[in-house]
Amino acid sequence: PALLRPQIRGGGQERGLRAGTENAAGIAGFGVAAGIVAHRLAEMAAVARRRDRMEALIRSLDPDAVVFGAGAARLPNTSSIAMPGVAAEIQLVHFDLAGIAVSAGAACSSGRIEAPSVLLAMGVPDGLARTAIRVSLGLDTTDAEIDRFVAAWAALRDRTRARRCRA
């Protein structure tokens, strides 16, 4: 048999192999949190349906729109959408002025606008990747909020197309 030595000294628990007392309150709290998460996970199917509805509305308005990962197993609350020809930075400002929070780039590169490395790794051309925004839905996101986002999307698309036609 192998000889085990305690990693932390103190206390006589487990015949001197473990120091201290178990965090009973932490263990109980973790159990409650796990129960809540298990209950809320069942609600994520509805979030995925709202995400899919939002993506379908955008694609029906703009056949050039690209929904990355559509048809693949992915998070139910997140959508990465490109509006070709409109830089992500322009979209961020537009949606912010409309009171809608979206993001661009990778979640781990907050504050920097650059082509999302995940999209580039998927083989998405740099120019298209730079037009992608990330839209996150929550358990409490409503159809009305999705409709407001889609309307703001259409307004930006129409405005940018009109400018290109005048140029």
Side-chain angles (χ1 to χ4, degrees):
L3 177 61
L4 298 176
R5 291 182 300 163
Q7 299 297 307
I8 302 171
R9 301 220 177 261
Q13 291 81 359
E14 305 291 331
R15 297 188 190 122
L17 296 177
R18 181 178 57 81
T21 304
E22 293 291 340
N23 179 359
I27 293 167
F30 186 82
V32 170
I36 291 169
V37 167
H39 170 71
R40 299 300 306 253
L41 279 176
E43 298 174 37
M44 293 308 284
V47 174
R49 285 191 298 277
R50 286 192 293 279
R51 178 207 62 205
D52 294 346
R53 176 180 170 270
M54 175 188 73
E55 293 171 354
L57 287 169
I58 294 224
R59 285 191 302 239
S60 72
L61 286 171
D62 188 353
D64 293 332
V66 178
V67 177
F68 299 103
R74 57 192 169 123
L75 291 174
N77 67 317
T78 307
S79 183
S80 179
I81 309 171
M83 186 185 296
V86 182
E89 296 93 337
I90 301 294
Q91 294 180 63
L92 290 178
V93 170
H94 172 78
F95 287 114
D96 184 52
L97 291 173
I100 299 169
V102 298
S103 57
C108 56
S109 65
S110 179
R112 295 180 306 191
I113 303 294
E114 53 192 41
S117 58
V118 171
L119 294 180
L120 296 175
M122 290 168 55
V124 174
D126 185 75
L128 181 60
R130 290 180 182 276
T131 69
I133 61 169
R134 193 176 59 255
V135 181
S136 298
L137 285 68
L139 290 168
D140 298 321
T141 300
T142 66
D143 283 336
E145 290 168 326
I146 289 170
D147 293 341
R148 192 164 70 87
F149 170 77
V150 171
W153 171 281
L156 177 59
R157 189 235 19 229
D158 292 347
R159 192 173 78 219
T160 56
R161 283 197 179 155
R163 281 189 184 145
R164 278 188 239 143
C165 291
R166 287 193 302 255

